[in-house]
Amino acid sequence: MSLDLLDPQPAAAEGLRPRALDVAVVGATGAVGAELLACLERRNFPVGRLRLLASPRSAGQTLSFRGAPVTVEVLDQDSFQGVDLALFSAGASVSRAYAPLALAAGAWVVDNSSAFRADEAVPLVVPEVNGHRLGDQAGRLVANPNCVAAIASVALAPLHARRLVVRIIGATYQAASGAGAAAMAELQEATAAAVAGQDYPPQVMAHPYAFNLFSHDAAVDPESGYNGEELKVMAELRRLLAAPDLPASFTCIRVPVLRAHAMALTVRFAEPVSVEEARAWLAEAPGVRLVDDRAANHFPMPNEASGADEVLVGRIRTDLSDPSGRSLSLFVAGDQLLKGAALNAVQIAEALVRSGAI
Ligand code: A2P
């Protein structure tokens, strides 16, 4: 299969797909679901029939696609008849239960959950980073990575291609959107309540969210002390960078930001690398926007990353704690709902369409 994976152009614009596809979005009413619809629409993905699927709570609701209302249906075992492509974003348990049914019905599945990400038989893909993996799998299932891993990999891959990354230490500043639409609403409501001097007992998050930050809500492994998010990020970065033994350590923190994740990365390479080299490689890298203005003290920020397709990379500096000159520190921000989730899923689907797989 020949894949043109670095082509940033949407699939339909390439004119390679004569047939409109039957597309299902599982979790269409969620925060990622809304962005999946927006990405399919604005990138002119060749959607013919669109099926919007969610829980019984949302049955009968309508969502807009290309200016027309589409009714949300309840996800069930018959939802995938005739579907060419199913985009799943309703959590791991829904994916585990229903992705096999979609595959059995003949659909391609791009899964946004963590259900299949650790399965070596399932490609875990960020098209700019390891899109070649799409050509070598046996099945029709592709896993979309964890949002931090996806965003970090876009920043790291252009460097890793020139100087092997041999160690990563990261600290994240993660937005509410990673915990879903209800968490985003809680951040807004809790902030409004705090400004008004009212109490707001946390409902979705475990801790007060207004004017606060806290360790990521994933369960903590009692032995290592790492939480589930940190372990996922480390494992998935190793897969994305094709570096199975890469030493990595992350601290994942939830911050009161709505939808873009930021992260500080300190990266050691096998050989020395200069700031100028790193800047030049990142400036021309697909999916990256260099935001690295020392004079203006202007570096990646969540508000500038929100709504952007690119991952913002800056604060590129030599790590002074490593006198060998082999380490750099970077600051990165990316839209959790876009490159961290929906956009990457749609880009995977576009690559599959361009290759003729779907
Ligand atoms: P619903 O809105 O009907 O609950 P978010 O991550 O923003 O919370 O969104 C989760 C998405 O997953 C929503 O669209 C939600 O639908 C959907 N979802 C959650 N549980 C199920 C389920 N058991 N079956 C189908 N869809 C589900």
Side-chain angles (χ1 to χ4, degrees), residues 247-275:
S249 177
F250 269 75
T251 302
C252 289
I253 303 293
R254 191 73 77 184
V255 297
V257 163
L258 271 180
R259 61 177 283 168
H261 286 355
M263 58 200 77
L265 303 176
T266 293
V267 189
R268 179 181 288 174
F269 300 89
E271 295 162 78
V273 54
S274 71
V275 168

Side-chain angles (χ1 to χ4, degrees), residues 32-102:
V32 174
E35 293 301 329
L36 281 168
L37 297 187
C39 285
L40 291 170
E41 184 169 325
R42 84 181 150 84
R43 296 176 70 85
N44 203 19
F45 192 84
V47 179
R49 186 180 66 149
L50 179 64
R51 286 199 155 176
L52 303 182
L53 303 163
S55 81
R57 291 180 288 275
S58 307
Q61 237 185 65
T62 57
L63 298 173
S64 169
F65 185 71
R66 294 184 187 147
V70 182
T71 303
V72 177
E73 299 168 55
V74 178
L75 173 66
D76 68 26
Q77 57 187 16
D78 300 320
S79 295
F80 301 102
Q81 294 313 314
V83 168
D84 297 300
L85 169 69
L87 301 168
F88 274 74
S89 192
S93 54
V94 170
S95 292
R96 276 191 207 100
Y98 288 91
L101 300 178

Side-chain angles (χ1 to χ4, degrees), residues 77-229:
Q77 57 187 16
D78 300 320
S79 295
F80 301 102
Q81 294 313 314
V83 168
D84 297 300
L85 169 69
L87 301 168
F88 274 74
S89 192
S93 54
V94 170
S95 292
R96 276 191 207 100
Y98 288 91
L101 300 178
L103 293 167
W108 276 81
V109 171
V110 180
D111 182 39
N112 245 303
S113 81
S114 59
F116 308 105
R117 289 180 192 150
D119 184 341
E120 287 291 334
V122 177
L124 179 75
V125 175
V126 172
E128 301 92 326
V129 173
N130 68 339
H132 59 278
R133 286 292 326 269
L134 285 174
D136 61 14
Q137 89 245 42
R140 276 179 273 104
L141 172 59
V142 182
N144 203 38
N146 164 282
C147 41
V148 172
I151 291 166
S153 73
V154 171
L156 293 171
L159 307 175
H160 188 52
R162 275 83 168 199
R163 299 279 192 283
L164 221 53
V165 172
V166 296
R167 184 188 188 203
I168 303 175
I169 297 175
T172 70
Y173 309 75
Q174 295 183 225
S177 57
M184 296 171 81
E186 177 152 310
L187 173 57
Q188 287 171 306
E189 288 162 17
T191 306
V195 168
Q198 294 159 358
D199 274 350
Y200 187 96
Q203 291 153 38
V204 180
M205 295 311 211
H207 304 287
Y209 207 173
F211 306 110
N212 190 26
L213 54 81
F214 42 86
S215 192
H216 191 280
D217 27 289
V220 178
D221 170 34
E223 263 183 38
S224 65
Y226 283 86
N227 64 46
E229 178 81 351

